[in-house]
Every structure is written in C-alpha cells, then in structure tokens.
Amino acid sequence: MAEFDNIPAADAPIFLVGFMGAGKTTVGRALARQLEWDFFDLDDLIEQRAGKSVQAIFAGSGESEFRRVEREALKSCSELVRSVIALGGGAYVSEENRNSLRGIGKTVWLDCPVEVCLRRISGDRSRPLLSGEDEMRALLELRGSAYAQADFVVQSGNHTPEVLAIEIAKLLGKSATS
Ligand code: S3P
C-alpha cells in the first residue's frame, strides 16, 4: 500500500521547513535541479491565491488571514508529484499544517544558526515578521520544537546549497542526476 494518500511514495513531494533565512528556497531550487523535479515556493503559491504580495496580505488583512491562505495553499500541494516545496518559516509551526503534510510527503528541517539566518536576511523589507536580533532568537526558540518534528534534519549553516541538496537526496534515498 502506498505510504501517501494519492501517489507512490517515490514521487511524493519533499517539503523544506525552517526559519527565515535558513536557505529553504536556494537549497530547494538546487535539490529540484539535481533530482530533475519541479520547484515551488509556498509564499509564491500564497501570493498567486491572494493576488497580492505576502507583505500586502500582512499589511491589509493581518497575520491570521495570511495563515489562512497559507493553510489552503499548503493543502493544495497534495496535487503535486516529483516536486520540492520551500515552506515559509511559520508554516510548519501549525499543528494542522504538520498533520496535512504527513499525508502529502516528506519534510526536511534546514536547521541553521540564528546568526547565519540574520546575516542573510537583515534589511529585507519583504519579510513582515523580521525584527531585532533578540526577537528573532526568541521566535526561533519558540518554533524549534515544531521544526524538530520534521522527518529529517540537515545542518544548513555551513554548506553550499548544492552540497546540502546532495545530502538531502541521500537522506531520502534518491539519486541526484547532476
Ligand atoms: C514567515 C516567513 C516568510 C513568509 C512570511 C512569514 C514566518 O517566509 O512566509 O513572511 O512566519 O517565519 P520565509 O521563511 O521564506 O522568509
């Protein structure tokens, strides 16, 4: 019997989870390239659904509306096969989302030191929740126990996206084509 609801386990999507700046999008693109799979960024899927930017959703309707669209966009990923999806940093914090993902595919936590995340994203105005270092440390601390429930974990602070993609492919028992 297949491990996932709709598709053979070998074709089930791979979701990258972790904090803002952990490298989910860059590593996800590299992994998709290596596996010759499709790549999606959940924030892009949210923006398509809402018809506006993440920033505009937060500013106009607040975080709860953003999380509602995020839940819907995430559920729609059950239609994807042979795809790598980078989740936004808060998506895997929701228990409802974690339960949905268990039936859709495999999850990999890119565990990255907060200093590295902050160095990568400081000054980026497109992230509504980005604030000072103390607040970011506290937020990561709060989210750690959720991220730790992913199926796999890789340390993402010190390696290139290509090296991390190879590590993830191996962890998942997949062979990279490039
Ligand atoms: C968020 C992270 C963002 C985006 C939104 C909320 C979060 O994605 O989904 O701004 O709650 O951590 P990235 O992790 O890609 O920055």
Side-chain angles (χ1 to χ4, degrees), residues 20 24 43 54 58 66-67 70 88-90 127-129 143:
M20 291 171 261
K24 301 177 297 284
D43 283 343
V54 167
F58 268 82
F66 172 79
R67 298 298 172 200
E70 183 177 57
R127 290 181 165 92
L129 294 182
R143 291 178 168 182

Side-chain angles (χ1 to χ4, degrees), residues 14-20 23-25 39-43 45-46 66 70 73-75 77 84-93 97-98 101 106-108 147:
I14 300 169
F15 295 90
L16 301 186
V17 315
F19 205 55
M20 291 171 261
K24 301 177 297 284
T25 301
F39 172 78
F40 298 91
D41 190 305
L42 190 69
D43 283 343
L45 301 180
I46 292 168
F66 172 79
E70 183 177 57
L74 189 140
K75 286 195 176 114
C77 292
V84 178
I85 302 106
L87 297 186
Y92 202 66
V93 175
N97 289 347
R98 290 197 299 275
L101 287 166
K106 290 291 182 194
T107 49
V108 182
Y147 293 154

